[in-house]
Amino acid sequence: MDVAAQWAGGALTIDLSAIAANYRYLTEIVTRGGAKTVCGAAIKADAYGLGAARVAPVLEEAGCPHFFVAHLSEGAALRNAISRAIPIFVLHGPPPGTSEDLLEAGLTPVLNSPEQLEEWRVLARKRGKALPAAIQLDSGMARFGLTADTIATLAETPDSYTGIDPVLVMSHLACADTPEHPANTAQLDAFRHLSALLPAAPRSLSASSGIFLGPDWHFDLARPGAALYGINPTPGQPNPMTPVVRLQARVIQTRIIPEGQSVGYGALFVARRPTRVALLGIGYGDGFHRSTSNRGCAVLPSHPDIRLPIIGRVSMDSLAIDITDLGDIPVPPGTPLDLIGPHNTLEEAADAAGTIGYELLTDLGGRYHRSYV
Ligand SMILES: *Cc1c(COP(=O)(O)O)cnc(C)c1O
């Protein structure tokens, strides 16, 4: 942590080379045995909170040929951060009446519904040429995409896809993080069957976890997000990805409290022994969830084997740590503690908050001192 990091309550270190390494690793998996599959990247929600403008050029440099964002606004912002040539897909498609804006912003829509197909057909007619778009089908998740019924109707209707230059046919898996779940093969079968009824285009089914289901799920393009950012795509098994995020906060003050003394709002924690307490300047206002109260831990980097429990309620701007088990080790004000680091993973921190790495990362917000390495 450099000096400027002291001005903020906490510091977020984002390892861009780890993101590039994760990209290369996922590409290696999907190209095993000479397969021609490529990896795009989901960088919606500001690259899962890590900063799309910093992350996208790194992925571009690593060879990433496609980006996916959720909203037109995200795509328009991203377009300015990267070269003109790389397609940016807007997963939610054009909001009503915005097709023209989407095209002008240099973005490619994912068309999810008959209404969105119509928007794009109308614009193509106006422009007098076919316009590139991805088409999403619903293979069983019942989230976005054309349903089986709609696809059947469209297949019997002339000009359903006139003016649409299909550059990708895609769907999304509901249970890819649970390999034995029957939905995975059911969706695979549905995707094969339904995509054959759509205009021919490269096909994409898998995000991070789907890549680990095996080559049948890879098709032409995978769309990982989470795994690029170090989130474990194989929950319950060792994380095959390189960690990307370190979250540290400096000790503001320490004190020793007697047995029976409570700590923090609601007196939720009561000391059962004379307890040495350190206060850190991050809290739920920094996206460090209040559900972590009395759960989770911090680690002093020089003594990684000693887990230091979070005690009492997490406040908006601070939380308390029980550092008694450090014994006589000095912990002067300014000492950085890891809340997410090499010895306490993102998964553990998310678990302590009762959530998943995805939600914790996207919640971390803009209050930290950020450094990119
Ligand atoms: C978010 C998203 C992805 C990326 O998912 P991860 O699980 O983060 O890899 C891919 N495709 C779609 C449609 C998504 O919404």
Side-chain angles (χ1 to χ4, degrees):
M1 277 168 98
D2 56 33
V3 172
Q6 297 211 49
W7 293 26
L12 204 53
T13 307
I14 295 155
D15 185 345
L16 294 171
S17 62
I19 295 177
N22 286 334
Y23 180 79
R24 287 192 297 269
Y25 177 61
L26 295 172
T27 299
E28 191 264 306
I29 294 176
V30 300
T31 54
R32 276 179 196 162
K36 296 275 187 288
T37 306
V38 295
C39 275
I43 49 178
K44 56 197 185 187
D46 202 22
Y48 293 44
L50 301 185
R54 300 299 297 266
V55 168
V58 171
L59 289 167
E60 186 177 2
E61 173 81 23
C64 181
H66 302 283
F67 290 125
F68 294 84
V69 296
H71 308 300
L72 172 49
S73 59
E74 292 179 341
L78 179 62
R79 185 42 92 200
N80 296 323
I82 61 165
S83 71
R84 196 76 195 165
I86 297 189
I88 300 172
F89 291 99
V90 177
L91 288 165
H92 291 184
T98 65
S99 290
E100 197 113 39
D101 303 335
L102 198 147
L103 186 69
E104 290 305 322
L107 307 173
T108 311
V110 175
L111 303 175
N112 296 295
S113 64
E115 293 83 356
Q116 292 188 345
L117 282 174
E118 173 66 6
E119 285 258 352
W120 211 238
R121 275 195 307 259
V122 167
L123 183 60
R125 255 199 315 276
K126 218 160 134 188
R127 296 286 168 117
K129 60 171 184 194
L131 299 173
I135 301 173
Q136 177 151 224
L137 64 86
D138 174 16
S139 56
M141 185 177 180
R143 196 172 67 166
F144 296 104
L146 304 174
T147 62
D149 286 352
T150 304
I151 290 170
T153 309
L154 290 170
E156 289 162 7
T157 313
D159 291 334
S160 291
Y161 302 102
T162 303
I164 293 165
D165 169 17
V167 292
L168 191 68
V169 166
M170 60 176 278
S171 189
H172 195 54
L173 296 167
C175 304
D177 61 353
T178 313
E180 65 283 4
H181 200 292
N184 293 315
T185 42
Q187 285 198 259
L188 177 62
D189 291 344
F191 184 61
R192 283 187 172 135
H193 166 72
L194 292 172
S195 59
L197 302 174
L198 289 174
R203 293 187 290 174
S204 176
L205 179 59
S206 285
S208 297
S209 295
I211 290 173
F212 292 84
L213 292 176
D216 281 352
W217 279 266
H218 292 171
F219 293 91
D220 301 298
L221 174 80
R223 314 180 304 269
L228 295 171
Y229 312 120
I231 293 172
N232 188 357
T234 57
Q237 310 227 50
N239 190 350
M241 310 314 297
T242 306
V244 169
V245 170
R246 184 169 196 168
L247 174 60
Q248 295 185 303
R250 287 181 188 272
V251 172
I252 297 172
Q253 69 174 112
T254 60
R255 62 156 60 81
I256 292 177
I257 58 169
E259 184 184 344
Q261 169 68 52
S262 68
V263 174
Y265 284 122
L268 203 64
F269 173 88
V270 180
R272 277 193 238 120
R273 57 178 179 176
T275 298
R276 195 172 165 214
V277 179
L279 285 167
L280 304 181
I282 72 170
Y284 62 78
D286 306 273
F288 204 81
H289 296 183
R290 190 166 174 274
S291 51
T292 310
S293 300
N294 266 343
R295 296 165 60 90
C297 72
V299 167
L300 180 65
S302 58
H303 294 75
D305 297 335
I306 306 174
R307 327 237 354 128
L308 308 171
I310 293 172
I311 54 173
R313 283 238 162 96
V314 172
S315 302
M316 184 186 292
D317 317 304
S318 67
L319 52 79
I321 306 284
D322 179 348
I323 58 167
T324 315
D325 290 344
L326 288 175
D328 295 334
I329 298 163
V331 182
T335 303
L337 299 184
D338 282 330
L339 289 153
I340 298 170
H343 305 282
N344 44 350
T345 63
L346 174 64
E347 263 68 33
E348 285 174 67
D351 203 44
T355 184
I356 55 173
Y358 291 71
E359 190 180 28
L360 186 55
L361 264 198
T362 52
D363 278 355
L364 287 178
R367 214 178 177 195
Y368 298 103
H369 174 79
R370 284 179 177 232
S371 38
Y372 290 88
V373 298

